Amino acid sequence: MPENPAGLELDGAAVILYTSDKVLLHKRDSRPRLFPNRWAIFGGGVEPGETPKETACRELKDELGYQLSPQDLEPLGRFRVSAP
């Protein structure tokens, strides 16, 4: 799957961490601009010059202290999320 096909605007990337029948989530605090007080997977905004996989790895390191490399990730697809 290409990292950023022509014409596709990438705003964020996220990671689903799972093992067997368990998924690791975190509860967002009340301050986030998007989806406050909601359970969520880990991720964040793509910075200039960054691929979605690099974004996902950076966010995991920032939020969990968990280090992965882009080749450790398997893309599941692209999704459009509408904020309220």
Side-chain angles (χ1 to χ4, degrees):
M1 176 182 286
E3 282 297 328
N4 188 4
L8 181 63
E9 199 172 308
L10 299 173
D11 295 323
V15 177
I16 299 172
L17 295 173
Y18 67 93
T19 180
S20 184
D21 61 346
K22 295 177 175 77
V23 175
L24 182 61
L25 301 172
H26 70 103
K27 187 161 186 190
R28 297 173 63 87
D29 64 26
S30 61
R31 293 183 313 235
R33 180 173 60 94
L34 301 174
F35 310 111
N37 297 313
R38 302 287 174 106
W39 288 98
I41 57 179
F42 298 90
V46 175
E47 293 183 355
E50 198 173 51
T51 68
K53 285 184 176 185
E54 290 168 338
T55 298
C57 290
R58 176 180 49 78
E59 290 291 337
L60 281 179
K61 180 72 171 162
D62 291 349
E63 295 174 8
L64 286 174
Y66 190 65
Q67 185 70 51
L68 286 177
S69 64
Q71 53 269 31
D72 293 328
L73 301 175
E74 179 181 339
L76 295 177
R78 292 189 172 89
F79 306 91
R80 181 177 301 260
V81 177
S82 298

